[in-house]
Amino acid sequence: MSVVSRGFTGRRSSGPPGRLPPGQYDAGAAFPVLSAGPVPRRHLDAWDFTVTGDIDDPLSWTWARFQQLPHQDVTVDIHCVTSWSKFDTRWSGVSVDTLLGEVETAAEYVVAFCDGGYTTNLPLEDVLDGKAWIVDSYDGQPLAPEHGGPARLLVPHLYFWKSAKWVRGLRLSLADEPGFWETFGYHNYGDPWRNQRYAGD
Ligand SMILES: Nc1nc2c(c(=O)[nH]1)N[C@H]1C(S)=C(S)[C@@H](COP(=O)(O)O)O[C@H]1N2
Ligand SMILES: [Mo]
């Protein structure tokens, strides 16, 4: 139920109440594509996913092995810093908990790295406890290349630039190292509910 009329609030308040972070609008059925460069194409035979950095023995999964890992269906809202949000996006993928389950590390941060060179940094705890996935399917279909296929990171509680497309691994580190957009003035953490768009927000 809404007390203010649609005409007064406009598109920014469309969608279920309480689901739109400050300054965001509901993109509805649209799913914009935002990429800093061309779409990298990698044959699945040449794909692997690696956990490296502060870890005694780096871990690596081929595409075939990755497919054998338990997948979860995830339905979440996503929030891009350019101000569109999208409700109830449906993904399937492997929880980062599954990938890091056996890992012993003193690291407190991770950097996601990708084909094409994109990186983004996150506190380790923000990719654990059911908060992040490596997804390889969207809306029941293999993840499209423009949206990060064959696989991307999905971290829905942070702005969508943290959800690295074409992801190839996570580097565990003791120190926080800003990634691509974080180096260019975007917020280091990026909580949409706290409007953390740019450094200093
Ligand atoms: N590798 C890579 N991942 C990326 C990006 C990128 O340019 N390269 N853009 C980020 C940004 S700013 C956003 S908003 C989302 C966009 O994802 P989409 O194109 O599937 O909507 O991907 C994020 N992940
Ligand atoms: Mo973005």
Side-chain angles (χ1 to χ4, degrees), residues 31-36 80 84 114 118 146-147 152 160-161 163-166 181:
F31 193 171
V33 170
L34 282 102
S35 307
C80 173
W84 57 270
C114 306
Y118 185 87
E146 65 267 29
H147 286 299
R152 78 184 295 167
F160 208 35
W161 87 76
S163 293
K165 305 197 280 190
W166 315 295
W181 284 120

Side-chain angles (χ1 to χ4, degrees), residues 14-122:
S14 61
R19 287 177 74 175
L20 215 44
Q24 296 292 110
Y25 73 91
D26 177 5
F31 193 171
V33 170
L34 282 102
S35 307
V39 173
R41 309 269 169 172
R42 174 166 295 270
H43 200 274
L44 295 181
D45 290 344
W47 185 94
D48 60 11
F49 188 87
T50 302
V51 177
T52 180
D54 189 71
I55 176 175
D56 286 341
D57 299 303
L59 303 171
S60 184
W61 292 265
T62 62
W63 183 256
R65 290 232 174 268
F66 185 80
Q67 292 309 306
Q68 288 163 0
L69 295 173
H71 281 53
Q72 297 176 355
D73 293 325
V74 190
T75 301
V76 288
D77 300 345
I78 54 177
H79 310 290
C80 173
V81 74
T82 62
S83 83
W84 57 270
S85 291
K86 190 169 173 58
F87 297 130
D88 292 324
T89 58
R90 293 174 53 235
W91 311 83
S92 170
V94 177
S95 172
V96 175
D97 295 316
T98 302
L99 300 169
L100 296 185
E102 310 289 299
V103 171
E104 298 209 1
T105 180
E108 292 184 20
Y109 301 94
V110 297
V111 171
F113 55 91
C114 306
D115 279 326
Y118 185 87
T119 55
T120 189
N121 57 311
L122 308 106

Side-chain angles (χ1 to χ4, degrees), residues 111-112 118-121 162 176-184 188:
V111 171
Y118 185 87
T119 55
T120 189
N121 57 311
K162 298 284 185 181
D176 196 9
E177 303 161 21
F180 179 80
W181 284 120
E182 294 84 3
T183 307
F184 281 103
N188 193 55

